[in-house]
Amino acid sequence: TIFNGAIAYLGTYVNKKGITFDYIGSYELEKELLEKKLAKNDYAVVAISTTFCKSIGSISELVKFVKKINSSVKIIVGGPYQANIINQVDDLQLQLLLNKMKADFYLNSYHGVEALISVIEAIKNGTDYRQINNIIYREGKKFTVVQKVPETNEIENNHIDWSLFKDRLSTIVPVRTSVSCLFGCKYCSYRTQAGKYNHLSVQSIEKELDAIDQIETVSMVNFIDDSFNMPKDRFKNIMRMMIRKRYHFKWHSNIRCQNIDREMVELMKESGCEGAVLGLESGSQDMLNH
């Protein structure tokens, strides 16, 4: 199984801010473990990432489960799934939707990490959270929406500390080397949601892969960038670095077809690539023209 990348990112971020954390990788697979942790520990906050959620019902079920075991804990829901839904409904529908999920706070942002930290610190310190940007908070049965402000998400300043998770890593580890997309395709809203494209330097990627290479249980790295081989020169330099380092793990990723050449394929093979997911938008030039 693939380790949850959202946990790695958020765990690293809150740890960097001096906040202790615990986690489970999957509610469906680790429900009993979650129950034991909630019963044993006095958590101030439970944060639910909706990166891999597929329904409002699944969020509501998880919130209900947590509250049943610990009714005093504050629950924060964030992530792209709920953020997308929040931005697609009117005010009345929003109130009904949030009441159905029954959490205490919602992060009204595709990223939301700064808002998450601010809410956690406010809860821990007993300070006012009502002016924190990019959140929606509960007051009885009503929810108040605070001002929405774009968050900066410079990936170069947010390296994942894999040592925090080494004892529970599975064989496959997700690695993100960029945020957003270089392209602005009309049929895709990802760039609008994710914000400005930015990426890690090759040196920073090398540092992260060096750390992963020290963890013997990892046999595969899954580069989760939407178009890992863009820009072309940067991608080739990453491949050359990986060849030079001779890492013990293999890798796979998403690949954009339009700029593949023979040298790129040869570098991929030599660096340990075992698979690539190719994005094929259409086989029709007329469709692509529109």
Side-chain angles (χ1 to χ4, degrees), residues 122-149:
I123 292 171
K124 286 183 63 179
N125 300 325
T127 54
D128 189 9
Y129 50 74
R130 290 173 294 180
Q131 301 302 317
I132 298 173
N133 292 328
N134 299 328
I135 71 166
I136 303 174
Y137 62 89
R138 176 193 291 275
E139 289 184 307
K141 291 188 177 181
K142 183 181 178 182
F143 290 87
T144 300
V145 181
V146 186
Q147 179 183 9
K148 189 173 181 180
V149 177

Side-chain angles (χ1 to χ4, degrees), residues 87-111:
N87 289 305
Q88 292 174 8
V89 298
D90 60 31
D91 292 342
L92 177 59
Q93 290 173 321
L94 179 63
Q95 293 293 326
L96 293 171
L97 183 68
L98 299 184
N99 266 305
K100 183 176 181 179
M101 289 192 281
K102 301 184 184 304
D104 301 294
F105 299 88
Y106 299 88
L107 304 181
N108 191 14
S109 169
Y110 185 85
H111 300 296

Side-chain angles (χ1 to χ4, degrees), residues 66-239:
V66 172
K67 287 288 189 180
K68 182 180 179 180
I69 302 169
N70 186 338
S71 59
S72 63
V73 70
K74 297 299 182 182
I75 299 180
I76 306 172
V77 174
Y81 178 77
Q82 63 95 37
N84 288 340
I85 292 176
I86 285 173
N87 289 305
Q88 292 174 8
V89 298
D90 60 31
D91 292 342
L92 177 59
Q93 290 173 321
L94 179 63
Q95 293 293 326
L96 293 171
L97 183 68
L98 299 184
N99 266 305
K100 183 176 181 179
M101 289 192 281
K102 301 184 184 304
D104 301 294
F105 299 88
Y106 299 88
L107 304 181
N108 191 14
S109 169
Y110 185 85
H111 300 296
V113 288
E114 293 293 345
L116 174 65
I117 295 298
S118 296
V119 172
I120 292 174
E121 290 178 340
I123 292 171
K124 286 183 63 179
N125 300 325
T127 54
D128 189 9
Y129 50 74
R130 290 173 294 180
Q131 301 302 317
I132 298 173
N133 292 328
N134 299 328
I135 71 166
I136 303 174
Y137 62 89
R138 176 193 291 275
E139 289 184 307
K141 291 188 177 181
K142 183 181 178 182
F143 290 87
T144 300
V145 181
V146 186
Q147 179 183 9
K148 189 173 181 180
V149 177
E151 279 195 9
T152 57
N153 187 33
E154 295 296 331
I155 190 171
E156 190 67 53
N157 299 323
N158 297 302
H159 300 165
I160 290 178
D161 182 357
W162 290 105
S163 67
L164 297 171
F165 315 97
K166 62 181 180 181
D167 295 334
R168 291 175 60 187
L169 285 179
S170 55
T171 56
I172 305 175
V173 169
V175 171
R176 179 180 293 280
T177 77
S178 65
V179 171
S180 194
C181 181
L182 283 166
F183 300 90
C185 303
K186 291 182 179 179
Y187 56 81
C188 179
S189 62
Y190 177 61
R191 186 175 179 180
T192 302
Q193 296 165 346
K196 182 182 177 182
Y197 174 83
N198 63 98
H199 62 251
L200 288 173
S201 65
V202 177
Q203 292 76 17
S204 293
I205 297 169
E206 180 177 355
K207 183 178 180 180
E208 183 167 343
L209 296 182
D210 284 350
I212 294 172
D213 196 47
Q214 298 301 312
I215 304 171
E216 294 181 359
T217 56
V218 177
S219 59
M220 178 70 70
V221 166
N222 177 26
F223 290 104
I224 59 175
D225 306 54
D226 287 73
S227 300
F228 184 42
N229 61 325
M230 297 291 292
K232 186 175 181 178
D233 291 341
R234 171 180 176 268
F235 177 73
K236 288 183 177 181
N237 286 333
I238 295 171
M239 297 298 96

Side-chain angles (χ1 to χ4, degrees), residues 280-285 288:
L280 304 173
E281 269 59 69
S282 174
S284 166
Q285 189 59 48
L288 294 174

